Amino acid sequence: MNAFKFYKITSNDEINISFKIRKKVFCEEQNISEYIEFDNLDHLCNHFMIFKESEAIATARVRKKENHIFKIERVAVLVEHRNIKVGSLLINEIIKYYNETENKSSIILHSQVAVEKFYKSLNFVSYGENFLEDGILHIAMRHIN
C-alpha cells in the first residue's frame, strides 16, 4: 500500500477536492440529494483523504459527538479504486489518528447495511436496529479495539 498516502485536510482547496469525491459517490452514484450530503456540519469536522500518487481517490470526515466519541461519516471511495483496500486503509488510518491524538476515544459510524460486512472486517460491531437515512438502510456500529 506504499502507493497510497493518508492525509488530513488542511486547506480550502483540499476540502473542495473532498467535496467533489463525495458529490460523485453519493449524489451522482447513489442519488443522495446534495441537501442531505452537504448538511452544514462540515465545518465541525476533521476531513481526511487518501491519495494515489497525486490523485485524491477517497475521503471521509469525522465529527466529535461528545467527550471522546467520534463519528466517522461520509466515507467515499471513487468507483475505479474500490476493492483494492483503499477504504480499509482510510478507516484504519482514521482510527489510528484518533487513538494517537485523543485519550480513550471511541469511534462510531452509521454504515449502509450493504457495506456492514466491510466494517465488521475492520473490528466494528453493530448495535441497535436498522434505520433509514435518505431512503437507504443503515445500521449503527462502534469500533472495538
Side-chain angles (χ1 to χ4, degrees):
M1 292 225 206
N2 292 336
F4 302 113
K5 182 181 175 196
F6 174 76
Y7 190 79
K8 184 173 185 260
I9 292 174
T10 59
S11 74
N12 285 335
D13 287 342
E14 293 163 345
I15 199 73
N16 288 332
I17 294 168
S18 172
F19 288 176
K20 286 180 186 175
I21 294 171
R22 285 170 47 189
K23 183 175 180 180
K24 188 173 224 179
V25 170
F26 295 117
C27 302
E28 295 173 16
E29 286 180 35
Q30 298 183 10
N31 294 316
I32 294 172
S33 72
E34 286 189 41
Y35 175 78
I36 297 291
E37 178 57 29
F38 299 102
D39 56 5
N40 293 317
L41 296 175
D42 285 302
H43 68 286
L44 301 173
C45 302
N46 284 324
H47 297 262
F48 301 91
M49 282 194 291
I50 296 287
F51 284 87
K52 182 179 180 185
E53 297 167 3
S54 61
E55 179 189 8
I57 62 171
T59 190
R61 73 180 192 188
V62 179
R63 184 164 48 106
K64 187 173 185 175
K65 296 292 285 178
E66 51 190 82
N67 272 349
H68 307 292
I69 299 176
F70 297 89
K71 184 180 179 205
I72 299 174
E73 302 175 323
R74 307 306 198 257
V75 177
V77 177
L78 293 175
V79 67
E80 59 271 24
H81 299 284
R82 292 182 196 149
N83 299 315
I84 57 170
K85 305 288 185 189
V86 173
S88 297
L89 176 64
L90 179 61
I91 298 301
N92 285 327
E93 288 294 326
I94 288 171
I95 292 165
K96 180 180 170 187
Y97 175 88
Y98 282 92
N99 284 339
E100 291 175 356
T101 61
E102 298 292 333
N103 188 27
K104 299 180 183 176
S105 64
S106 295
I107 306 291
I108 63 170
L109 54 79
H110 290 169
S111 170
Q112 293 182 6
V113 169
V115 293
E116 179 181 8
K117 185 176 177 182
F118 163 74
Y119 288 108
K120 284 184 175 182
S121 76
L122 300 173
N123 294 328
F124 282 83
V125 294
S126 306
Y127 63 93
E129 300 295 322
N130 292 351
F131 56 93
L132 288 175
E133 279 187 7
D134 201 33
I136 299 172
L137 205 55
H138 283 72
I139 185 72
M141 303 186 84
R142 68 176 171 269
H143 186 257
I144 304 299
N145 284 326

